[in-house]
């Protein structure tokens, strides 16, 4: 997601955060959430990910072997998501803090260069033909501790926005939990429960652009999605959040993410505490979409 423009209409300045300046920048961020309660997050891999444990199966057809993607249930899909994010040793986490008018805090977007600072990492970079950076990367748990300390998580007053759904959120959750805990919590129900616990107001812009409401109406950000690009989606969301009916329109969207199963199953719907009539509507829409 490109850095948003701040009040003057200029592109926000990207501030790179490494181990040597993390304390200063995290302290700067900690006092901003009261006035800039919309946190836009995006993650990017610095390097190709390692092979996953389960990528499919070999099938012999037309005299050649092909890798065929295994058909997975939603728990399997969530486990692959977990494997994918844990396999990324080095990544960038981009954070922009906005107010309801879309102004960017201090005109900055923070780009955290994350990765465990181990000697083996430098060898891995050399094996991949990548020159190790001159500055050391910060540890992911430092970001998690800072966000918890300044009450940016588990806080209904802070709205978190993502455009890449479950991948971004899984990277964020990995910042909060030790690796041993994360390994034990990778089924879909627990992932959704932990996401909603840490981010009570969490919205996936792609989901808002493509999925209809519980009543079968057009997606809230359908027009912005047609305009193209994450920037248009973010502008559409900032306009949507100022509407009086925002909370009503968001019924059924909060905490639903791309990457852990696009269809709403009863276990996830129940987490939204919808009533039985809404549940039946959601099921009808689900099976209606499957038949097309």
């Amino acid at each position: 997601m490109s850095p948003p423009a701040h009040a003057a209409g200029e592109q926000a300045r990207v501030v790179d955060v490494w181990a040597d300046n993390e304390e200063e920048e995290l302290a700067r961020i900690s006092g901003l959430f009261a006035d800039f309660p919309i946190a836009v997050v995006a993650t990017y891999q610095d390097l190709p990910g390692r092979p996953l444990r389960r990528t499919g199966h070999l099938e012999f057809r037309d005299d050649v072997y092909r890798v065929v993607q295994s058909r997975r249930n939603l728990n399997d899909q969530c486990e692959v998501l977990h494997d994918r994010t844990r396999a990324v040793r080095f990544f960038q986490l981009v954070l922009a803090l906005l107010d309801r008018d879309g102004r960017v805090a201090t005109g900055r977007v923070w780009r955290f260069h994350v990765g465990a600072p181990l000697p083996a990492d430098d060898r891995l970079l050399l094996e991949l033909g990548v020159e190790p950076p001159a500055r050391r990367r910060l540890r992911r748990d430092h970001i998690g501790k800072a966000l918890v300390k300044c009450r940016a998580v588990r806080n209904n007053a802070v709205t978190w926005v993502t455009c890449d759904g479950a991948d971004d959120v899984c990277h964020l959750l990995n910042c909060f939990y030790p690796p041993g805990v994360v390994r034990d919590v990778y089924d879909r129900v627990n992932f959704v429960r932990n996401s909603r616990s840490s981010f009570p107001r969490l919205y996936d812009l792609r989901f808002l652009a493509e999925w209809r409401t519980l009543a079968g109406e057009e997606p809230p950000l359908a027009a912005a999605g047609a305009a193209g690009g994450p920037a248009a989606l973010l502008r559409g969301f900032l306009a949507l959040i100022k509407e009086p009916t925002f909370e009503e329109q968001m019924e059924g969207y909060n905490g639903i993410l791309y990457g852990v199963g696009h269809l709403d199953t009863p276990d996830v719907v129940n987490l939204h505490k919808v009533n039985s009539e809404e549940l039946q509507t959601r099921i009808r829409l689900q099976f209606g979409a499957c038949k097309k």
Side-chain angles (χ1 to χ4, degrees):
M1 184 180 298
S2 301
H6 57 76
E10 301 171 355
Q11 202 74 355
R13 180 165 70 94
V14 176
V15 176
D16 289 289
V17 184
W18 300 84
D20 54 67
N21 67 334
E22 66 169 295
E23 186 174 346
E24 174 187 355
E25 295 301 331
L26 288 173
R28 193 191 309 273
I29 290 171
S30 67
L32 295 173
F33 281 95
D35 296 321
F36 297 89
I38 302 173
V40 183
V41 64
T43 56
Y44 306 91
Q45 292 188 27
D46 277 4
L47 297 171
R50 294 176 178 177
L52 301 181
R53 292 184 312 199
R54 298 188 295 172
T55 57
H57 63 275
L58 283 176
E59 185 175 285
F60 189 74
R61 191 172 59 212
D62 299 331
D63 296 325
V64 294
Y65 279 103
R66 292 185 171 86
V67 176
V68 180
Q69 189 72 23
S70 299
R71 188 176 181 84
R72 299 186 176 96
N73 61 34
L74 294 174
N75 275 336
D76 290 338
Q77 195 168 331
C78 196
E79 187 172 347
V80 170
L81 165 72
H82 167 269
D83 287 349
R84 187 166 66 241
T85 53
R86 291 304 300 180
V88 177
R89 291 294 297 277
F90 313 105
F91 67 95
Q92 296 175 18
L93 189 152
V94 179
L95 177 67
L97 304 182
L98 314 177
D99 64 13
R100 289 172 63 89
D101 293 322
R103 286 187 289 264
V104 182
T106 72
R108 294 178 174 217
V109 171
W110 287 272
R111 180 168 56 199
F112 297 92
H113 296 266
V114 185
L118 302 174
D121 295 340
D122 291 339
R123 293 196 296 271
L124 175 61
L125 289 171
L126 290 173
E127 289 173 5
L128 294 171
V130 178
E131 184 177 350
R135 302 170 75 178
R136 301 300 294 176
R137 300 169 185 270
L138 71 156
R139 289 172 40 167
R140 66 178 79 198
D141 62 301
H142 289 188
I143 300 174
K145 290 175 182 176
L147 292 175
V148 170
K149 184 177 180 180
C150 67
R151 300 193 71 250
V153 296
R154 305 185 183 95
N155 187 348
N156 283 303
V158 177
T159 299
W160 286 82
V161 180
T162 171
C163 200
D164 290 317
D167 282 279
D168 290 342
V169 175
C170 197
H171 275 299
L172 275 174
L173 289 177
N174 282 334
C175 293
F176 302 133
Y177 302 113
V181 174
V182 175
R183 276 195 295 271
D184 294 336
V185 187
Y186 52 60
D187 63 277
R188 183 170 184 254
V189 172
N190 278 317
F191 177 78
V192 173
R193 183 178 292 118
N194 278 274
S195 299
R196 296 206 62 204
S197 172
S198 296
F199 313 107
R201 293 169 61 89
L202 169 64
Y203 300 104
D204 184 336
L205 299 184
R206 285 181 59 195
F207 205 94
L208 288 171
E210 297 182 17
W211 280 77
R212 293 174 292 174
T213 67
L214 286 168
E217 299 165 343
E218 285 299 304
L221 295 184
L233 289 174
L234 182 57
R235 287 193 299 270
F237 180 79
L238 291 173
L240 187 67
I241 202 172
K242 296 200 296 189
E243 294 184 7
T245 58
F246 174 74
E247 298 294 341
E248 182 181 342
Q249 291 185 69
M250 291 300 98
E251 181 66 44
Y253 287 109
N254 183 19
I256 300 297
L257 302 168
Y258 267 87
V260 287
H262 296 184
L263 296 180
D264 248 349
T265 52
D267 59 324
V268 177
V269 172
N270 289 336
L271 292 176
H272 289 292
K273 300 179 181 178
V274 299
N275 59 38
S276 58
E277 181 180 350
E278 289 170 334
L279 175 58
Q280 292 302 317
T281 300
R282 179 72 70 152
I283 291 174
R284 285 197 299 273
L285 291 174
Q286 172 183 323
F287 285 100
C290 291
K291 292 176 181 178
K292 292 182 180 179

